[in-house]
Amino acid sequence: MAKLSCNVLKKRISKAESIRDQYKDLYQSGMDLTMPNRDQWSVQTQGAKKVNKLYDSIGVISLNAFVNRLQSSLTPLYTQFVKIIPGPQIKDNPNVNIEEIKLQFDKLTNMCFQYLNASNFSIAAAESYYDLGLGTGALFVENTKNPTNPLSFSSVPISHLAIDESKNGIIEGIFRTHILPARGIERTWEDAKIPKSLATTIESEPDKEIELKEATYYDVKEEKWHYTVLHNSDILVERELTRNPWVIFRWSKNNDEVFGRGPVIQAMPDLREINELKRLQIRSAQLDIYGVYTVANDGVINANTMNIQPGGMINVERNGTNPTIAALPRIGNFNMQTYKIEESRVAIKTLMLDNKLPPDSIGARTATEIVERMKQLQVDTGASFGRLIYEYLTPLFRNIITILIENGLFIVQKEYKELFAIDNLFSSLEIVSPIARAEAVDKINDIVQADAVMKSIDATGQLSQMTFKTEELGTLVANLQGLPQTILRTKDEKEQLNQQAALLASEQANQQQQPQQ
């Protein structure tokens, strides 16, 4: 398979868009209850009211908490949340200077975050986390060619995207719809080949909105990514890419589905219930405030015209002991409504990672409490955490590294180029964000407890010395804590220190053996 023709590509895009449209009602209902102001599925004017269907803000609050939790725990601001480390092909190769490679990886990690922090990543990532709440987030990573700020990120809403994937679930096609003024086409794509019909429109109607289809797809045989922009039956742009600029990540998904299902979708039953209960509660409050009254009348009630509403009057033949006016007896259990609402709130907060530990009302936070909070978050996101590493963080840093190398900001010798591909063979990512630190703390605690057990059996410490490579424990703990390689001693430096210590011990022993004068 080479570059796809216009007709073949249009059919592929149309099929992917038809699949995406099947998710519209599902995602639309989730947006209505959690982020109505971000609704982009329906065509609306600027400044339109979008919260008419919402009666309770728990969905909005919990989704904001979900986004903030991910931002602070997975990709915290101005913090190195991943570390590039050697893969098994390097670790097991005796001909490679592993210490030198680690230093190079540390240098690359520092450079990645230097440019990442200078970009708009934090803004775009937060926007994509809202879409991830529904199930699928999308980032477009652009090379600006600016030496001081080469990275630019765009969060693309699900409503603008269509995707397809291979049989093993890997995304191989990403298709986006662009609607922009005719005058903006050449500004957006400098290499666009404008046909005569479109050129006439650009000249005569520069503000006319033009719909374009953008396709990024993978050629399995050539193992290359292609990029094409279509306008009707014309190909405006056609490129061969060195990388996939898209980062598409799903919270969780079914095997037979393309788009993901996030915590908002999982919480939909409770969100619908609490929204309806709150609507009824508001209605109940109106009846409590205004009341409904009966009025004595010798006539006959007409059920077709009777209207029960706050402040309403109903004509009746008589009122009990025959007062002229009386209140209508109330029915229903207001306390049961409140109980059901609180029950649903707990379920929603749990699904959307808003179950804080300890409660916010407690002021001081101890280190133990923070660790327990991270452990709970790690348990809650366990199934999705691996998918986020595979579909989000790994392709994200592949893009960043490729852009830095292409711009000449990080120089790589040809023989070492394959080492920086983040292929999990020569190099891989170690997650050192707060969400992963809890696991590191557990591993360190296991080491400490194991050492304590050994010393409780043998107080001399010889059993522990025979069991553990004590000279490697310090490096292991430092690596688990995500400390930079630059502050750790290399093997040669350790051997040099051991030789100095041995020499010093030998000199002290000789001095002790010499007879006192």
Side-chain angles (χ1 to χ4, degrees):
M1 184 181 77
K3 295 179 181 178
L4 298 179
S5 66
C6 184
N7 289 333
V8 172
L9 198 52
K10 286 175 66 176
K11 290 179 181 179
R12 183 172 174 180
I13 294 173
S14 178
K15 181 179 179 181
E17 288 179 340
S18 66
I19 294 175
R20 176 204 60 198
D21 292 341
Q22 296 175 23
Y23 291 83
K24 179 178 179 180
D25 290 341
L26 177 67
Y27 285 161
Q28 180 78 64
S29 58
M31 279 189 162
D32 288 341
L33 295 172
T34 57
M35 44 179 163
N37 290 318
R38 291 177 59 85
D39 176 23
Q40 296 185 359
W41 288 93
S42 55
V43 179
Q44 296 178 337
T45 59
Q46 295 191 34
K49 295 180 179 179
K50 299 183 179 182
V51 293
N52 296 333
K53 300 179 182 179
L54 196 61
Y55 294 92
D56 189 270
S57 59
I58 181 62
V60 177
I61 294 172
S62 290
L63 181 59
N64 286 336
F66 169 80
V67 172
N68 294 336
R69 197 79 179 269
L70 276 186
Q71 181 111 44
S72 62
S73 301
L74 183 64
T75 56
L77 300 178
Y78 304 108
T79 302
Q80 291 191 4
F81 48 83
V82 302
K83 185 180 180 182
I84 304 171
I85 60 174
Q89 292 285 6
I90 295 180
K91 291 179 179 179
D92 300 335
N93 189 340
N95 299 322
V96 174
N97 186 340
I98 188 67
E99 303 296 340
E100 177 62 27
I101 294 298
K102 285 182 178 180
L103 289 174
Q104 287 295 314
F105 282 154
D106 274 351
K107 179 181 177 182
L108 179 58
T109 300
N110 293 333
M111 184 172 291
C112 285
F113 280 97
Q114 173 187 341
Y115 289 104
L116 192 69
N117 293 332
S119 72
N120 65 330
F121 170 74
S122 60
I123 298 173
E127 292 178 359
S128 68
Y129 293 157
Y130 281 99
D131 294 323
L132 183 64
L134 290 175
T136 306
L139 284 177
F140 186 80
V141 188
E142 183 180 0
N143 183 355
T144 66
K145 306 293 180 66
N146 184 335
T148 60
N149 193 6
L151 302 174
S152 179
F153 299 87
S154 301
S155 174
V156 181
I158 305 171
S159 56
H160 292 185
L161 278 181
I163 58 177
D164 61 23
E165 59 182 13
S166 62
K167 292 181 180 179
N168 56 3
I170 298 176
I171 296 174
E172 293 187 343
I174 305 101
F175 314 104
R176 174 165 56 165
T177 300
H178 282 279
I179 298 178
L180 70 165
R183 55 182 163 76
I185 295 176
E186 293 178 298
R187 297 179 186 176
T188 305
W189 298 280
E190 295 179 355
D191 56 341
K193 298 177 181 178
I194 309 297
K196 290 183 179 180
S197 59
L198 186 57
T200 302
T201 303
I202 294 174
E203 184 177 352
S204 60
E205 300 178 89
D207 291 325
K208 181 180 179 180
E209 290 189 339
I210 305 296
E211 181 176 296
L212 304 171
K213 299 292 184 180
E214 176 190 89
T216 306
Y217 60 94
Y218 184 67
D219 186 336
V220 179
K221 292 184 179 179
E222 295 183 359
E223 296 184 348
K224 294 179 180 178
W225 283 91
H226 295 282
Y227 178 84
T228 305
V229 179
L230 303 175
H231 174 251
N232 296 331
S233 297
D234 297 314
I235 295 179
L236 304 187
V237 180
E238 203 166 25
R239 302 172 185 167
E240 189 176 284
L241 304 176
T242 58
R243 62 187 176 88
N244 175 17
W246 287 98
V247 180
I248 310 292
F249 48 105
R250 283 80 59 97
W251 183 257
S252 65
K253 65 180 287 289
N254 297 328
N255 291 333
D256 56 344
E257 293 186 333
V258 177
F259 286 92
R261 293 174 180 263
V264 171
I265 304 303
Q266 296 167 358
M268 280 298 293
D270 289 295
L271 287 168
R272 286 197 186 100
E273 180 182 51
I274 200 171
N275 198 57
E276 180 63 15
L277 286 172
K278 201 61 179 286
R279 186 186 70 82
L280 294 175
Q281 195 176 70
I282 293 172
R283 183 69 170 169
S284 177
Q286 287 179 321
L287 294 173
D288 283 341
I289 294 172
Y290 294 104
V292 180
Y293 304 94
T294 62
V295 179
N297 193 334
D298 294 334
V300 179
I301 293 177
N302 185 346
N304 294 325
T305 59
M306 183 176 63
N307 184 18
I308 299 179
Q309 62 181 0
M313 297 288 184
I314 302 175
N315 290 327
V316 295
E317 186 173 351
R318 60 175 57 89
N319 275 325
T321 57
N322 205 27
T324 302
I325 184 170
L328 183 69
R330 291 292 313 281
I331 59 174
N333 190 332
F334 185 81
N335 292 332
M336 179 57 69
Q337 290 183 20
T338 303
Y339 170 76
K340 289 296 296 179
I341 287 175
E342 291 304 318
E343 187 180 53
S344 297
R345 284 181 187 274
V346 173
I348 291 168
K349 287 186 174 184
T350 300
L351 287 168
M352 300 181 72
L353 311 181
D354 192 23
N355 49 339
K356 298 177 177 64
L357 176 69
D360 283 345
S361 57
I362 299 178
R365 300 288 200 276
T366 66
T368 303
E369 289 169 349
I370 294 173
V371 169
E372 290 301 319
R373 184 192 300 272
M374 290 299 104
K375 285 182 180 179
Q376 181 173 336
L377 179 61
Q378 186 184 35
V379 171
D380 292 341
T381 59
S384 301
F385 187 54
R387 180 178 288 277
L388 289 177
I389 295 174
Y390 181 75
E391 292 189 345
Y392 177 37
L393 295 180
T394 300
L396 172 66
F397 277 86
R398 281 181 187 150
N399 272 286
I400 295 172
I401 292 170
T402 303
I403 290 174
L404 293 181
I405 294 175
E406 287 179 349
N407 289 0
L409 298 172
F410 185 78
I411 308 299
V412 179
Q413 298 178 6
K414 290 183 178 180
E415 59 269 25
Y416 292 138
K417 191 171 183 180
E418 61 184 1
L419 301 183
F420 300 92
I422 314 297
D423 55 1
N424 295 323
L425 292 176
F426 293 99
S427 58
S428 60
L429 292 182
E430 180 182 1
I431 311 303
V432 293
S433 57
I435 197 173
R437 290 278 177 92
E439 184 178 356
V441 170
D442 284 341
K443 291 181 179 179
I444 294 172
N445 287 337
D446 290 341
I447 294 172
V448 173
Q449 291 175 6
D451 183 60
V453 170
M454 297 292 180
K455 290 179 178 178
S456 66
I457 297 174
D458 179 13
T460 64
Q462 293 182 0
L463 179 61
S464 179
Q465 186 74 21
M466 292 293 294
T467 304
F468 299 119
K469 295 180 180 179
T470 53
E471 69 278 5
E472 300 295 335
L473 285 178
T475 302
L476 175 61
V477 171
N479 288 333
L480 288 174
Q481 293 284 49
L483 299 181
Q485 192 69 26
T486 52
I487 68 171
L488 301 181
R489 295 191 183 278
T490 64
K491 287 184 178 180
D492 292 341
E493 290 173 337
K494 290 179 181 178
E495 290 178 1
Q496 185 178 0
L497 283 177
N498 288 333
Q499 292 174 0
Q500 291 175 357
L503 180 61
L504 180 62
S506 176
E507 291 176 352
Q508 291 176 348
N510 291 334
Q511 290 177 359
Q512 292 177 356
Q513 290 176 359
Q514 292 177 0
Q516 295 182 356
Q517 298 295 333

